Amino acid sequence: MFSRRRFGLLLSVTVVLSNAASAQQALPTISIGARPSARPAARVTTPAHPRQPPPSSPVIATAPAASEPAGPTPPPITASSEKFFTGKEVNSIPFARPGEALEIVPGLVVTQHSGDGKANQYFLRGFNLDHGSDLALYLDGMPLNMRTHGHAQGYADSNFLIPELLGYVLARKGPYDAQDGDFASAGSVYLQYKDKIEKGFYQLTGGNFGYGRALAVAPYKDFAGGSAYGAVESQYYNGPWERGDNLRKINSVFRWSRGAQEDGASVTFMGYANKWYATNQIPQRAVVGGLIPLWGTLNPTDGGDTTRFSLSARWSQTEGNHASRVAAYLVRSTLDIYNDFTYFLANPNLGDQFRQFDRRWIAGVDAQHKIKWDSFGLPVETRIGLQGRYDDIRLGLQDSFRRTPYETVRNDAVGEGSISFWTDTSVRWTPWLKTIAGGRFDYYNANVTSLQSLWGAPVVATSTGAPAFLWTGPWNSGSKDAALFSPKASIILGPWAKTELFANYGEGFHSTDARGAAQRFDTSALSDEDTFLRVAPIPLLVKSRGAEIGARTKFIEGLDSSVSFFWLNLDSENQFEGDSGTTTYGRPSRRYGVEIANHYRPVSWINFDGDVALAHARYRGFDTARALAYADLLTPEAVPYGTFLGNAPGNFLQNAVAVTAMGGLELGEATGWFGAIKYRYIGSRPLTEDGFLKSPATGTVNARLGYRWSDGWRLQLDAFNIFNSRSDQITYGYGSLLPSDPLYGQCRAGVAPGAVCAIGVMDRHFKPVEPPAVRVTFSGPLNFDTSVTKLPDVAEPLRVFSN
């Protein structure tokens, strides 16, 4: 039970955090500049142990305590930045959307610039990861990142995640582990659902802005030689937006398992569908000028729908010094999405909305074998792995008006397959020295077949003013293959005084869009001679190289601390392009920085997490193409428009976050009153390569207060953005055009220079942090036998204060 002293401590911490958050409510002054683009729109650069409590004081979780089996066993830690979390820990801190559960990973920020049916935006180690371009996400062994995706390379949708089912989360930073391949340069996060649910439960949640969620989880014991459970979730959300999201989501999981993760088998089915409208980022000048309110939109038809169905299986066996594991999966996913980021820049009559679609089947296998053996009296462990995946994809890009497509820029069938072999060997040389050395070999092959028709191709003007069909599809078909070898190495020293030291090096990679690898001609413009404009194909695989040194200590009782210094080079930076909504091939880049992570449990009823990450991110080399485009903006005719501001060549990585910080406090025992507070800070960041436009810093505080009964009932109140931060969820800097802009009329009349009209008005485009909101959750045992089920004693929480 909470005492008055403990309850007072909770209130005191709330006041302290309120003072920290209030400093983030005011927005700094933003200067407006310009930026060039190749198309009539601009680019948007868009040994650790589970922190288990003693048996007498388990951590508070969102599901009934009775439904929690014994916690999972963490793997050996090989880097100071590697972290392992139980499902209880993930759910103990409040978050507003499923993807934000991943923010338990130190330094990882998860946000959104569109409707909640679209994949989240991820930030980690100085990366603007867009929708997952260099962060590998896995659920139950299935990769969530999509290759050659209709919206963005590496698109990783986690909106179908049911956090209450999580058994554990394993997070690794950098490309140091031989098991990690595509998209894992910044890091990888492995999410694992529980194999067993001991007791069923249900929960109902309702809150501001039309939020409603229902979840039911039912176990089936002695089912087909094992055990099983089913989970069904539905959700509705409108949001504070002038054009409500009208989000409708349904989600389900059915899992059969036998044995344990290390020695057993499981079969899992998942089904998910979501449909929504979206208020995307809006230009600052439209809000300041009163054209739209802060919660308004410039295109109320933006939005989309998505589905995902999967069937996966896992078999594992441990016998003596040998351990084997084989996982296979089959995934069917679809996405239709409509976005409008530049408004009337490319098409002053119909607007710039575009449709992207993606239909795919994914089949894959992940097998590994582990052997423990002795070499000259030294303990050795060798792992050997095989990974294979094939994506059968149909995807495209169309210009649209109010969700009605009228021109097809791309329409392709893509088959992309990969085969990977990896191995590593760890040797314990002395009680205080361990080394790991290994590597992986990856081979990729992609075949692109254009389905674009002549009559569906974009119509462009020739130099004479006559229209012409830009039918490049047949000449942008082709195949591409590539192979890479990536060495990995780690050294672990210690422990001394409960402290270990780590040094890691690894090479990794990310794949690029297969359409870009096979492309030969531009899909949006003709050359000055009215012929197809030739473009250079891009590599299918792009290498990264990274290193890290760090330390991890438990020297102070109850405190688990780590510090990690990292460095990472990429041969090409993925960049989000606003006019097409796709990820493009960019310049080489370099990042280095430091991360500090702390978890402190001084007594059984207090848990504290505090993390800070600092990163320095820059492009490498000189941007010749941008310098040439910048020169066009410095002509006597163009200079008066000021479009050159923000368009100078530079080395700032757009939206690369330099400072992130997280603080979490959890109070409470297994039963009785409990509470939690989470503070998240995202520092200011450059929005253009020359650093002329910058985003504001963002600080938000979420809080939780609730009561848990000993028989499984729970009442919980979650409050989000409790101090009403008026900053941004996400911010971009690029050019757009509105009918209210003076430049709009000047471009239509042919008065303004073409280089200026191709960029529009440079501005800060943002999606605001949602206003304060409260959600109430009621949860209890799922038992259909009414003679056994008893309602909670509603007077019990009040008796605490009378003691």
Side-chain angles (χ1 to χ4, degrees), residues 424-593:
D424 62 19
T425 297
S426 62
V427 181
R428 174 65 72 176
W429 300 92
T430 70
W432 52 266
L433 173 62
K434 178 181 179 181
T435 62
I436 305 173
R440 62 180 293 127
F441 174 80
D442 292 271
Y443 172 77
Y444 277 59
N445 178 269
N447 185 73
V448 180
T449 302
S450 176
L451 304 176
Q452 183 190 44
S453 67
L454 171 62
W455 301 112
V459 177
V460 297
T462 64
S463 58
T464 62
F469 288 101
L470 192 59
W471 187 39
T472 58
W475 295 272
N476 282 332
S477 299
S479 61
K480 193 73 173 285
D481 60 0
L484 278 179
F485 175 72
S486 306
K488 321 274 186 174
S490 299
I491 301 175
I492 299 101
L493 301 173
W496 298 293
K498 299 183 180 180
T499 301
E500 289 182 296
L501 305 178
F502 302 84
N504 311 91
Y505 173 82
E507 296 183 8
F509 69 97
H510 65 233
S511 60
T512 62
D513 195 309
R515 295 172 295 177
Q519 184 173 352
R520 291 187 293 168
F521 297 103
D522 193 285
T523 60
S524 60
L526 292 172
S527 69
D528 293 338
E529 293 78 26
D530 293 336
T531 59
F532 287 163
L533 182 63
R534 185 173 290 275
V535 297
I538 64 176
L540 186 60
L541 302 180
V542 174
K543 181 170 282 293
S544 62
R545 299 169 180 84
E548 179 179 306
I549 59 172
R552 183 165 185 167
T553 182
K554 296 183 178 179
F555 179 76
I556 299 175
E557 187 66 28
L559 177 63
D560 185 349
S561 297
S562 65
V563 58
S564 307
F565 298 89
F566 66 89
W567 160 85
L568 183 68
N569 274 11
L570 266 70
D571 286 352
S572 168
E573 182 76 19
N574 275 331
Q575 291 179 298
F576 183 69
E577 188 175 79
D579 59 341
S580 62
T582 55
T583 305
T584 60
Y585 188 79
R587 283 190 288 157
S589 62
R590 173 178 292 121
R591 293 170 174 82
Y592 56 86

Side-chain angles (χ1 to χ4, degrees), residues 165-181:
L165 299 183
L166 285 172
Y168 68 82
V169 174
L170 173 63
R172 290 197 285 254
K173 311 282 184 64
Y176 319 128
D177 195 290
Q179 185 178 359
D180 298 332

Side-chain angles (χ1 to χ4, degrees), residues 326-398:
V326 179
Y329 52 88
L330 180 66
V331 180
R332 168 64 173 174
S333 71
T334 69
L335 174 70
D336 281 282
I337 192 165
Y338 297 85
N339 290 307
D340 185 354
F341 300 139
T342 52
Y343 321 117
F344 291 91
L345 182 64
N347 191 323
N349 297 313
L350 299 179
D352 297 352
Q353 188 186 72
F354 55 90
R355 175 199 181 213
Q356 294 165 312
F357 62 89
D358 190 283
R359 312 274 187 272
R360 74 176 60 212
W361 288 93
I362 307 174
V365 64
D366 186 348
Q368 60 176 285
H369 186 72
K370 180 170 61 178
I371 309 170
K372 294 181 179 179
W373 52 289
D374 288 336
S375 176
F376 300 101
L378 300 176
V380 181
E381 181 177 290
T382 297
R383 298 187 302 166
I384 302 173
L386 168 68
Q387 297 167 345
R389 172 176 168 178
Y390 183 79
D391 290 45
D392 183 7
I393 316 164
R394 173 73 183 277
L395 74 167
L397 169 65
Q398 298 173 306

Side-chain angles (χ1 to χ4, degrees), residues 172-367:
R172 290 197 285 254
K173 311 282 184 64
Y176 319 128
D177 195 290
Q179 185 178 359
D180 298 332
D182 200 2
F183 305 117
S185 294
S188 56
V189 181
Y190 291 83
L191 307 162
Q192 183 65 49
Y193 277 166
K194 300 171 186 174
D195 280 330
K196 296 180 181 179
I197 299 291
E198 296 300 324
K199 291 187 178 182
F201 65 94
Y202 74 92
Q203 64 182 43
L204 303 173
T205 304
N208 295 108
F209 311 120
Y211 183 89
R213 179 178 183 246
L215 171 67
V217 181
Y220 305 93
K221 297 183 179 180
D222 301 322
F223 186 91
S227 62
Y229 67 84
V232 178
E233 174 197 30
S234 64
Q235 181 184 325
Y236 181 85
Y237 185 53
N238 223 23
W241 319 111
E242 186 179 51
R243 200 303 173 216
D245 283 357
N246 193 25
L247 180 139
R248 292 145 288 167
K249 178 173 82 172
I250 188 166
N251 201 6
S252 63
V253 175
F254 182 82
R255 188 183 192 95
W256 173 89
S257 66
R258 182 176 62 192
Q261 282 287 323
E262 297 78 14
D263 199 339
S266 68
V267 178
T268 305
F269 167 81
M270 301 182 193
Y272 163 74
N274 199 339
K275 192 172 185 179
W276 70 95
Y277 286 92
T279 295
N280 289 305
Q281 66 263 22
I282 53 178
Q284 182 185 24
R285 65 186 185 277
V287 177
V288 174
L291 183 63
I292 58 173
L294 182 63
W295 316 110
T297 178
L298 290 167
N299 195 330
T301 64
D302 284 354
D305 60 82
T306 187
T307 65
R308 185 188 185 277
F309 300 92
S310 67
L311 182 65
S312 60
R314 183 261 309 164
W315 170 85
S316 57
Q317 183 180 65
T318 301
E319 186 174 351
N321 291 329
H322 292 259
S324 301
R325 183 184 181 95
V326 179
Y329 52 88
L330 180 66
V331 180
R332 168 64 173 174
S333 71
T334 69
L335 174 70
D336 281 282
I337 192 165
Y338 297 85
N339 290 307
D340 185 354
F341 300 139
T342 52
Y343 321 117
F344 291 91
L345 182 64
N347 191 323
N349 297 313
L350 299 179
D352 297 352
Q353 188 186 72
F354 55 90
R355 175 199 181 213
Q356 294 165 312
F357 62 89
D358 190 283
R359 312 274 187 272
R360 74 176 60 212
W361 288 93
I362 307 174
V365 64
D366 186 348

Side-chain angles (χ1 to χ4, degrees), residues 30 79 85 104 146 166 217-218 408-409 554 595 639 650 679 687 733:
I30 300 296
F85 307 94
I104 194 170
M146 302 291 187
L166 285 172
V217 181
T408 300
V409 180
K554 296 183 178 179
E595 293 177 333
V639 166
Y679 174 66
L687 301 177

